[in-house]
């Protein structure tokens, strides 16, 4: 996808319907249509809705952390392999097996 500096934009919904302005680099070239669902912290508070999206990876760091990918509205980047406490609530993307 051209490196991490472009991957986020290629994954993001290409509008400001859900993302805060300016939603830099958003083209949705991949068809993923990433939305900025934010996250729920380990205290139950919701944060960054409209500003960023975070998705769980199936890869664990250890017994209390797993990796996630984060995309933000003001960057075209996709931040991957970020260790995150498993008590947090992040988005998931289901993939249907054929």
């Amino acid at each position: 996808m051209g490196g991490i500096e472009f991957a986020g934009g290629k994954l993001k919904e290409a509008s400001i319907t859900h993302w805060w302005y300016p939603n830099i680099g958003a083209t949705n070239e991949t068809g993923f249509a990433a939305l900025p669902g934010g996250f729920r912290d380990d205290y139950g508070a919701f944060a960054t809705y409209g500003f960023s999206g975070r998705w769980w990876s199936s890869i664990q760091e250890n017994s209390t952390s797993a990796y996630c990918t984060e995309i933000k509205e003001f960057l075209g980047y996709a931040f991957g392999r970020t260790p995150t406490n498993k008590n947090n609530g992040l988005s998931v993307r289901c993939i249907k097996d054929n």
Side-chain angles (χ1 to χ4, degrees):
M1 286 192 276
I4 64 167
E5 62 271 9
F6 302 106
K10 292 179 180 182
L11 292 163
K12 288 193 283 185
E13 173 190 52
S15 75
I16 55 170
T17 301
H18 299 102
W19 287 92
W20 291 354
Y21 179 83
N23 199 16
I24 291 176
T27 64
N28 193 31
E29 289 177 44
T30 63
F32 186 79
L35 296 174
F39 72 99
R40 182 189 47 83
D41 69 21
D42 50 344
Y43 298 104
F46 288 86
T48 72
Y49 176 81
F51 166 75
S52 75
R54 295 181 185 184
W55 292 265
W56 285 117
S57 165
S58 60
I59 302 169
Q60 296 186 67
E61 180 185 47
N62 56 44
S63 63
T64 61
S65 294
Y67 291 107
C68 78
T69 296
E70 181 176 16
I71 300 172
K72 297 181 179 186
E73 118 287 343
F74 65 89
L75 295 169
Y77 279 68
F79 299 93
R81 294 194 60 108
T82 303
T84 304
N85 187 312
K86 290 181 183 179
N87 289 328
N88 289 341
L90 278 59
S91 298
V92 295
R93 179 72 175 220
C94 298
I95 300 172
K96 181 180 177 183
D97 287 335
N98 290 329

